[in-house]
Amino acid sequence: MKSIFRKKSLSSLSSEVDLHAHSDGGLKRVLTVKDLTLMGVAAVIGGGIFTTIGSAAYNGGPGVIFLFMITAVTCGFTALCYAEFASRIPVAGSAYTYSYVSFGEVVAWIIGWALILEYAIGNIVVAISWSAYFNNILQAIGISLPDWLTIGYQTASIQYDQALAAGKDTSQLIYSHAPTFLGIHFIVNLPAFVIVALITWLAYVGIQESKKTANAMVMLKIVVLILIALVGFWYIFSHNTLDNWKPFLPNGMSGVLKGVSAVFFAYIGFDAISTTAEECANPQRDLPKGMIYSLILCTVIYIVTALVITGLVRYSEFQYVTDPLAFVFERINMGKVGFIISISAVVAASSVLLVFQIGQPRIWMVMSRDGLLPKSFGKVDKKYKTPGFSTIITGLFVGSFVLFIDDKLMTDLTSIGTLFAFALVSGGVMLLPRIEKQKGKFSLPYINAKWIFPLLYLIFLYFFNERVIAAFTHISEEGYQEILFMFFVLLAGGLSCIAFVKSLSLIPLLGVSCCMYLMVEIPANSWLVFFGWMLLGLMIYFFYGRRKSKLNVS
């Protein structure tokens, strides 16, 4: 059992960095602070701002901006912890590498497996969203693809089954008139597959080309979002639609928190920056700056956009709206602006796909170097200096699923996987030995949590006292959701005791606790699938990775 918790040392990782940097299999060091910041914006400003922000606004009203703030603060604590790791361990691999140092091999494997949910499976959701906006553009210019080539098989099947169960007419549904092959309905999301293939090719041919493309797409997105803000606020104040902001919290904070999964999905990916550590000109200085700058910029953009859409159209009209930005401008008779937004949504989703398709192969590359995956995953293409085999496998994995799968469950799974990784990274920082601040390197400020964290815990219990009492009083009658909440309350209480006794650092403690709280607000059914995914990952580790690991000395 002890062998599965074997750790990599900071010194051995530093040696690996030097070895790969001076070998023919090394990656190109071309990324600057500007590139990293724009890459973070490319990852965060995508499907969330053009899709999931609508459902979050419907539940929370204009007050949904508080959820963006809460999420940003949570990500901010985590970003500082990532920055501390990135400063000490400038190696590709993100949370996987950091966990290998802090917790040991089996936890690192679990994190690497969970990150597939963030990058690869997250890209499935983004690709499906990209396809929906792209088809809207085609229809606007008079081009119509057969509807059975624009949707996943699972989505079409679910729509058919629901209509059948409700006794509705199914003759006009895609599932009913799609062509069949060997008795199977041929329904695939072809545009989603094509964009995944193109993005995979771009990620394969080089980080330099990917960087230029991502930067150009980000600049276009920012220009369009500035246009949306200017036109939106002008309309709100000139046509006096300020009443749409009243009440600001129509469903209270409980309504705001219903959008946790939707809003957090908008933020996933800022940590993808850390996977490019071996391609940064100065990773120990630039990685922390890139992560923090991008997070601040994205939070401002999300808050402004949320205020604009809820000011233009009343929050209650966003139910079932999947293209909120285009929707609000069509409602105020500015269809041309809506068309421009649809184009920018396609660009935004493309940039997210690109960053995620860059991130996932680099995690697999590092896992392969450690022996936990076959050697082919770690090979760097001699011509393009990218992890070629891993990039192709990522493309095939994502491309295969986007053809037929439904994206609803994927959003929750992605959010759980990301928060899980964030919590372990924050916790891992507390296990690192304290070092003196070094010039030119980021250093996480130490704030003694001895009194502050227990006090914050007591404040939390005060504001949530009714839910806490109800949960523990009726424990035998509670569902999975409240059981998860009780688990959080007990775990946070335990952390408070440890913080008091050991005088732990406040920032990583807040990162762990905030991530855990957001996790318990995600629907419990998604947790069951997440545990199944983790079980599959552990089976692969025990049957392959544990024996093949380079740290296996037996």
Side-chain angles (χ1 to χ4, degrees):
M1 180 62 71
K2 184 179 179 181
S3 66
I4 67 174
F5 290 102
R6 53 200 172 201
K7 300 179 182 180
K8 297 185 81 171
S9 66
L10 292 174
S11 58
S12 68
L13 281 170
S14 298
S15 300
E16 285 184 28
V17 174
D18 294 335
L19 176 64
H20 292 296
H22 296 96
S23 68
D24 292 335
L27 304 176
K28 288 184 179 179
R29 291 191 175 275
V30 296
L31 300 177
T32 64
V33 173
K34 184 185 101 173
D35 298 324
L36 293 167
T37 302
L38 292 177
M39 188 175 288
V41 175
V44 175
I45 304 298
I49 203 164
F50 291 100
T51 306
T52 58
I53 194 174
S55 62
Y58 171 73
N59 289 313
V64 74
I65 65 169
F66 294 128
L67 185 52
F68 282 112
M69 293 178 187
I70 293 170
T71 306
V73 169
T74 300
C75 290
F77 293 139
T78 308
L80 290 171
C81 295
Y82 265 95
E84 175 72 8
F85 268 120
S87 177
R88 295 204 202 185
I89 313 171
V91 183
S94 185
Y96 160 77
T97 302
Y98 306 154
S99 296
Y100 218 144
V101 172
S102 303
F103 299 106
E105 187 172 274
V106 69
V107 178
W109 169 267
I110 290 172
I111 283 294
W113 192 248
L115 286 175
I116 298 175
L117 290 174
E118 178 179 354
Y119 295 119
I121 294 183
N123 245 359
I124 294 171
V125 179
V126 178
I128 293 171
S129 173
W130 183 97
S131 177
Y133 272 104
F134 181 72
N135 286 316
N136 289 339
I137 293 173
L138 289 181
Q139 291 173 4
I141 60 177
I143 300 174
S144 295
L145 293 174
D147 52 11
W148 42 272
L149 288 178
T150 63
I151 192 172
Y153 177 90
Q154 188 182 28
T155 303
S157 178
I158 290 172
Q159 292 175 352
Y160 178 83
D161 291 341
Q162 289 176 343
L164 204 62
K168 297 180 180 179
D169 179 27
T170 60
S171 60
Q172 300 303 313
L173 294 178
I174 297 173
Y175 191 84
S176 298
H177 61 259
T180 58
F181 180 72
L182 297 177
I184 300 174
H185 292 265
F186 186 79
I187 304 172
V188 294
N189 198 331
L190 184 60
F193 179 83
V194 171
I195 188 59
V196 169
L198 290 173
I199 291 294
T200 301
W201 169 79
L202 184 59
Y204 185 92
V205 298
I207 191 68
Q208 184 78 25
E209 292 73 15
S210 300
K211 176 189 82 170
K212 292 178 180 177
T213 305
N215 289 355
M217 289 191 285
V218 170
M219 291 300 185
L220 177 59
K221 280 194 295 187
I222 291 176
V223 169
V224 171
L225 289 170
I226 290 174
L227 173 66
I228 290 171
L230 293 176
V231 174
F233 281 125
W234 168 80
Y235 187 93
I236 290 168
F237 289 102
S238 64
H239 291 72
N240 195 25
T241 62
L242 296 171
D243 286 344
N244 287 335
W245 285 334
K246 300 176 183 177
F248 203 73
L249 288 168
N251 300 310
M253 282 304 293
S254 61
V256 170
L257 290 171
K258 282 183 179 179
V260 164
S261 182
V263 167
F264 192 79
F265 180 79
Y267 273 90
I268 68 167
F270 84 88
D271 61 315
I273 299 170
S274 64
T275 68
T276 64
E278 293 179 36
E279 289 149 294
C280 297
N282 188 339
Q284 293 171 315
R285 181 197 66 195
D286 297 347
L287 271 175
K289 289 182 179 180
M291 295 180 75
I292 295 168
Y293 292 168
S294 63
L295 188 59
I296 293 171
L297 183 57
C298 291
T299 301
V300 172
I301 291 172
Y302 272 119
I303 290 174
V304 169
T305 304
L307 288 173
V308 167
I309 66 170
T310 54
L312 291 174
V313 175
R314 193 155 186 80
Y315 74 93
S316 57
E317 296 188 40
F318 286 103
Q319 188 176 23
Y320 305 127
V321 173
T322 57
D323 55 346
L325 295 186
F327 169 77
V328 295
F329 282 99
E330 287 172 3
R331 286 280 284 102
I332 62 174
N333 299 316
M334 290 187 178
K336 290 183 178 179
V337 176
F339 180 72
I340 293 172
I341 290 171
S342 293
I343 294 175
S344 64
V346 168
V347 174
S350 299
S351 66
V352 176
L353 285 166
L354 178 58
V355 173
F356 282 15
Q357 290 296 89
I358 289 173
Q360 179 63 68
R362 282 150 182 79
I363 293 173
W364 278 344
M365 177 187 71
V366 177
M367 293 174 77
S368 174
R369 288 178 183 172
D370 295 333
L372 303 184
L373 286 175
K375 290 182 179 180
S376 52
F377 282 88
K379 289 183 178 178
V380 174
D381 187 273
K382 291 183 178 180
K383 179 180 179 182
Y384 297 113
K385 300 297 183 181
T386 57
F389 180 80
S390 292
T391 300
I392 293 172
I393 293 299
T394 301
L396 290 173
F397 181 88
V398 176
S400 299
F401 278 98
V402 298
L403 283 171
F404 62 85
I405 205 165
D406 184 68
D407 65 337
K408 300 296 186 293
L409 177 63
M410 296 296 106
T411 302
D412 287 341
L413 281 177
T414 304
S415 296
I416 291 176
T418 306
L419 283 165
F420 184 62
F422 284 6
L424 282 182
V425 168
S426 298
V429 166
M430 292 187 283
L431 300 180
L432 291 176
R434 294 182 192 175
I435 59 173
E436 293 291 327
K437 181 175 176 57
Q438 300 177 37
K439 187 177 181 180
K441 291 185 180 181
F442 175 84
S443 181
L444 184 70
Y446 171 76
I447 302 172
N448 193 335
K450 184 180 183 68
W451 298 104
I452 301 175
F453 191 79
L455 177 61
L456 291 174
Y457 178 65
L458 292 176
I459 292 172
F460 170 83
L461 292 179
Y462 173 78
F463 282 104
F464 286 82
N465 68 90
E466 292 183 4
R467 184 177 178 183
V468 172
I469 293 171
F472 282 94
T473 303
H474 306 288
I475 188 169
S476 61
E477 305 168 15
E478 297 293 359
Y480 290 129
Q481 203 72 48
E482 289 308 297
I483 291 174
L484 288 171
F485 177 74
M486 288 187 284
F487 176 75
F488 166 76
V489 171
L490 294 173
L491 195 56
L495 286 175
S496 297
C497 295
I498 297 172
F500 183 81
V501 173
K502 294 190 174 280
S503 298
L504 298 177
S505 179
L506 180 64
I507 292 175
L509 264 178
L510 291 174
V512 171
S513 54
C514 288
C515 288
M516 289 193 305
Y517 176 73
L518 291 181
M519 287 173 77
V520 304
E521 292 294 341
I522 294 174
N525 288 340
S526 300
W527 275 89
L528 298 177
V529 179
F530 175 72
F531 287 136
W533 175 261
M534 288 293 106
L535 180 61
L536 174 62
L538 284 173
M539 290 174 63
I540 294 173
Y541 170 74
F542 281 107
F543 281 105
Y544 180 87
R546 186 173 67 90
R547 292 184 297 104
K548 298 290 186 177
S549 169
K550 289 187 177 180
L551 295 187
N552 186 9
V553 295
S554 59

